[in-house]
Amino acid sequence: MSAGEKRVLRVALFGTESTGKSSLAEKLAGHFGEPWSREYVREFWDEHGATIRGGDLDAIARGQVAGEDAAAAQAKRVVFHDTELLTNVLWADLLFPGECPAWVRTEAEARSRRMDVYLLCAADVPFAEDPQRVFRDDVERQRSAALWRRTLEERGLRFVEISGGWAEREARAIAAVAELLAK
């Protein structure tokens, strides 16, 4: 970054599955007129026949990073990330224990420090069925939501909880981003 060039702010949508992260990322991008990066693993899933193995974690992480960086390069003030690499690590540990490449862990930690705020989406909205989803039971869903929260807290990462109905979530997220941009 050259002198006088303003750094683009990064906002990560974070939380367990089926909490509205994708919809919220798209809405925030539209509201603020800025780009957003999609959750790459969904694209990978569709391209590879709905099967993911531990050996795919490297490619998934590289795709996630490329998408985040491409969106950030297009941003003027802020970029929104529908998930990010720290989430890839959480899923790798849950689904493929011991198979997450070391570089992914290291990069996830470094990139998490560059996020200006995490919007932690609470698991207090109805579960939406999707073949990619794992935590269909409410007990498991709340346990995974607690893991995502603990991940932010243990690292001391800045986050704003996004909860309530869909309109309330959107308003809270917009307010959090507006506050970030006003600094």
Side-chain angles (χ1 to χ4, degrees):
M1 187 164 49
S2 63
E5 190 177 337
K6 188 174 180 187
R7 185 178 75 84
V8 170
L9 300 173
R10 290 181 180 252
V11 176
L13 284 291
F14 197 74
T16 193
E17 60 193 357
S18 191
T19 55
K21 296 181 302 292
S22 299
S23 297
L24 194 51
E26 187 173 12
K27 286 179 180 181
L28 288 169
H31 180 85
F32 289 98
E34 293 282 4
W36 65 292
S37 63
R38 299 178 193 281
E39 181 181 18
Y40 178 73
V41 72
R42 288 191 161 277
E43 183 180 324
F44 187 92
W45 172 283
D46 291 340
E47 289 176 1
H48 293 85
T51 302
I52 295 175
R53 295 174 180 80
D56 297 325
L57 298 174
D58 183 84
I60 292 168
R62 290 182 192 284
Q64 182 66 40
V65 167
E68 289 176 23
D69 291 349
Q74 296 173 4
K76 293 176 186 72
R77 303 174 299 152
V78 63
V79 63
F80 302 96
H81 300 301
D82 172 14
T83 206
E84 43 60 84
L85 208 55
L86 201 51
T87 294
N88 287 53
V89 171
L90 290 173
W91 279 111
D93 290 347
L94 287 168
L95 301 176
F96 307 103
E99 295 189 50
C100 186
W103 81 264
V104 175
R105 287 184 190 287
T106 301
E107 186 67 12
E109 293 298 332
R111 293 175 80 85
S112 72
R113 303 280 175 227
R114 293 195 301 262
M115 293 296 170
D116 293 281
V117 69
Y118 280 84
L119 300 181
L120 177 61
C121 297
D124 63 346
V125 290
F127 181 83
E129 190 58 49
D130 180 317
Q132 292 184 22
R133 301 222 163 111
V134 176
F135 300 119
R136 289 169 172 79
D137 169 280
D138 193 53
V139 172
E140 290 177 338
R141 191 169 182 226
Q142 293 307 321
R143 189 176 300 135
S144 68
L147 171 61
W148 262 254
R149 172 184 288 279
R150 198 168 51 250
T151 297
L152 296 176
E153 290 172 344
E154 287 173 352
R155 287 165 176 79
L157 299 171
R158 181 173 179 228
F159 70 92
V160 174
E161 184 160 4
I162 305 299
S163 60
W166 297 115
E168 185 180 350
R169 292 167 100 81
E170 186 175 347
R172 177 100 168 124
I174 288 171
V177 174
E179 181 182 320
L180 181 67
L181 288 169
K183 290 184 177 181

